[in-house]
Amino acid sequence: MNLPVDTAKLQNEMDTLAGFTQVEQTGRKGERAVTRVVFTDDDMRARAWLKSLYEDAGLAVREDAVGNTFARWIGSEPDLPAVGTGSHTDAIPHAGMYDGTLGVLGGLEAIRAMQRAGVKPRRSIELVMFTSEEPTRFGIGCLGSRLLAGTLDPARADALLDKDELPLRQVREAAGFAGDLTQVKLPADYYSAWAELHIEQGPLLECDGLQIGVVTHIAAPASYRFTIEGFGGHAGALLMPHRRDALCAAAEIILAVEHAALATAAIDTVATVGTVKVHPGAVNSVPSRVDLELDVRDTDPDRRDTVMAQVRKAIADVQERRGVTVREEEVNADAPATSSRAIVASIEKACESLGLSHRRMVSRAYHDSLFVARIAPVAMIFVPCRGGVSHRPDEFATVEAMTDGVRVLAETLRDLAG
């Protein structure tokens, strides 16, 4: 039985969700710059609109203390562990409109397609919109799914500060999400299976001319903050032989990060210094302090640790030669996830029944599914995005690609739900 996906409705809802932002549409057709930071007015308006869609579909809606939103299609045996799907709808500044949102709206359309076809699932199917997958506001990614999986201490989470020095507890309560974060964690048998739909955020499917990616592994992310303390002064009066320039030291450390990642010769090893804050930040003042944030990812945590060992060795050398001090803070160092063979097989069976070309692949970006994997069997479905571009306004997936993904997700959920 073919499941009828409403392609026009899916595209219209993707466009509507993209409109919950203060950034206007720009560029070529299909491009839209989106900024939607967690618990801002744009985020709250998007949440209210999404809940109205869930209720229109007859789904039972609940929210937890951190704002994770659950929309459940109740099955014929509601006491069984549910089948889950979903993603996030927050977006970093000047991002695109497909990252995360396809997994939420596509998950909703997959449920509606089954409803149109008269499917009666045995297990309940639950769609989740996770809070703050992006680290934009509180400095740590996958905030909601970490708490849901029990991998983040609730007290530490509530004490996280945003750029205005407001703690998460105060911000979430102001947004209407009160309660004890210890209650967010789900029991280990809550989900029998989990499948997330997402754009690839890489170029492989498009380059190979394939329609679906079946994710077998999700890379392990680690994040670090470094503070380099040197000695500042007047750019004209502080002579070159006497300098302990924190920015020059930071430049060497950044290059050492690149060198360490390349030295593994592994395609799945990536390392990025994404933020550099220079103090005092004046053109005529020698930098006295620099703050760096480092992101290191790999499907092999031992290889990732080797990269960090090389970076620390380089830092020790820089400190000695340049007379600076470097402090390191580990933000997170997460384990990779391996997809469930059974769910991978279900996704591949769906692709074959629908006549869609597919391949197995690794997700080098990390997703909420990485943390759901701590409490349930998971896998992911990727669809191609133009040029492999993501986290930019020109992030783009065709409506045909999105529809293919929804069809595969719907067939997979139908299979997993029984």
Side-chain angles (χ1 to χ4, degrees):
M1 181 193 303
N2 289 328
L3 299 176
V5 173
D6 190 332
T7 298
K9 189 180 189 72
L10 175 63
Q11 183 67 70
N12 178 263
E13 289 176 348
M14 290 290 292
D15 290 335
T16 300
L17 182 54
F20 293 105
T21 175
Q22 295 178 358
V23 180
E24 297 297 326
Q25 184 173 353
T26 59
R28 294 177 293 176
K29 181 181 179 181
E31 286 187 17
R32 186 186 287 264
V34 177
T35 300
R36 191 163 48 244
V37 178
V38 67
F39 300 142
T40 60
D41 289 345
D42 292 321
D43 179 49
M44 298 309 296
R45 290 190 300 120
R47 286 169 178 267
W49 176 74
L50 286 165
K51 283 191 288 185
S52 73
L53 297 185
Y54 304 154
E55 290 162 359
D56 288 345
L59 307 182
V61 180
R62 73 175 180 90
E63 296 166 310
D64 65 20
V66 79
N68 292 321
T69 304
F70 304 80
R72 178 170 288 219
W73 183 22
I74 298 174
S76 62
E77 298 186 37
D79 292 336
L80 291 175
V83 173
T85 190
S87 195
H88 66 100
T89 58
D90 62 317
I92 68 170
H94 300 282
M97 60 176 277
Y98 300 89
D99 173 20
T101 57
L102 176 59
V104 175
L105 290 173
L108 175 60
E109 180 56 24
I111 290 172
R112 292 186 303 215
M114 285 185 278
Q115 291 174 334
R116 294 184 198 108
V119 172
K120 302 293 185 183
R122 177 168 166 256
R123 297 179 184 273
S124 297
I125 297 176
E126 188 162 77
L127 172 64
V128 184
M129 192 283 288
F130 293 101
T131 286
S132 195
E133 194 264 2
E134 304 291 3
T136 308
R137 184 160 190 177
F138 293 103
I140 186 169
C142 297
L143 175 60
S145 54
R146 287 178 192 272
L147 287 165
L148 178 148
T151 65
L152 177 61
D153 177 70
R156 180 193 168 199
D158 254 343
L160 291 170
L161 300 177
D162 68 7
K163 62 180 178 61
D164 296 319
E165 300 293 305
L166 297 175
L168 171 64
R169 182 183 183 91
Q170 179 179 337
V171 174
R172 69 180 175 88
E173 288 180 349
F177 302 110
D180 188 349
L181 289 188
T182 62
Q183 302 303 309
V184 172
K185 185 179 185 299
L186 296 179
D189 62 349
Y190 188 86
Y191 291 122
S192 63
W194 173 273
E196 179 177 357
L197 174 62
H198 209 281
I199 59 170
E200 181 193 352
Q201 297 180 288
L204 299 182
L205 291 175
E206 184 180 61
C207 289
D208 293 344
L210 298 175
Q211 293 163 296
I212 297 292
V214 185
V215 175
T216 58
H217 297 81
I218 305 174
S223 299
Y224 301 86
R225 295 191 184 104
F226 293 96
T227 300
I228 301 112
E229 296 277 2
F231 184 79
H234 193 287
L238 187 55
L239 301 181
M240 298 304 289
H242 303 150
R243 292 193 178 191
R244 290 186 283 133
D245 188 317
L247 184 56
C248 289
E252 287 200 42
I253 293 169
I254 293 168
L255 291 174
V257 167
E258 180 186 53
H259 177 76
L262 289 170
T264 69
I267 194 66
D268 291 330
T269 307
V270 291
T272 307
V273 175
T275 67
V276 179
K277 296 180 182 178
V278 182
H279 180 81
V283 68
N284 61 343
S285 182
V286 177
S288 60
R289 187 183 74 247
V290 174
D291 299 312
L292 302 179
E293 290 185 323
L294 168 62
D295 179 298
V296 186
R297 307 183 188 206
D298 208 313
T299 54
D300 181 343
D302 291 336
R303 196 164 55 212
R304 183 189 68 190
D305 291 344
T306 298
V307 170
M308 287 308 301
Q310 292 300 311
V311 169
R312 293 183 183 111
K313 183 178 178 181
I315 287 173
D317 175 64
V318 169
Q319 288 186 105
E320 182 177 352
R321 284 189 294 101
R322 289 191 170 272
V324 299
T325 59
V326 182
R327 297 193 308 275
E328 174 187 331
E329 176 191 356
E330 181 185 287
V331 178
N332 62 274
D334 302 303
T338 299
S339 295
S340 158
R341 291 181 180 181
I343 303 175
V344 165
S346 180
I347 295 169
E348 290 179 329
K349 182 174 69 174
C351 291
E352 289 158 9
S353 70
L354 293 166
L356 297 174
S357 57
H358 59 282
R359 60 164 287 185
R360 294 187 177 189
M361 63 194 310
V362 167
S363 174
R364 295 180 181 90
Y366 75 102
H367 307 277
D368 290 302
S369 290
L370 179 73
F371 298 97
V372 178
R374 309 295 188 257
I375 58 169
V378 306
M380 293 187 69
I381 300 162
F382 277 176
V383 298
C385 54
R386 185 174 61 199
V389 166
S390 185
H391 282 194
R392 290 173 17 184
D394 54 340
E395 175 182 276
F396 179 76
T398 66
V399 68
E400 293 80 12
M402 292 192 293
T403 301
D404 287 341
V406 172
R407 293 168 70 203
V408 171
L409 177 63
E411 292 288 355
T412 301
L413 294 176
R414 174 164 65 172
D415 180 43
L416 296 173

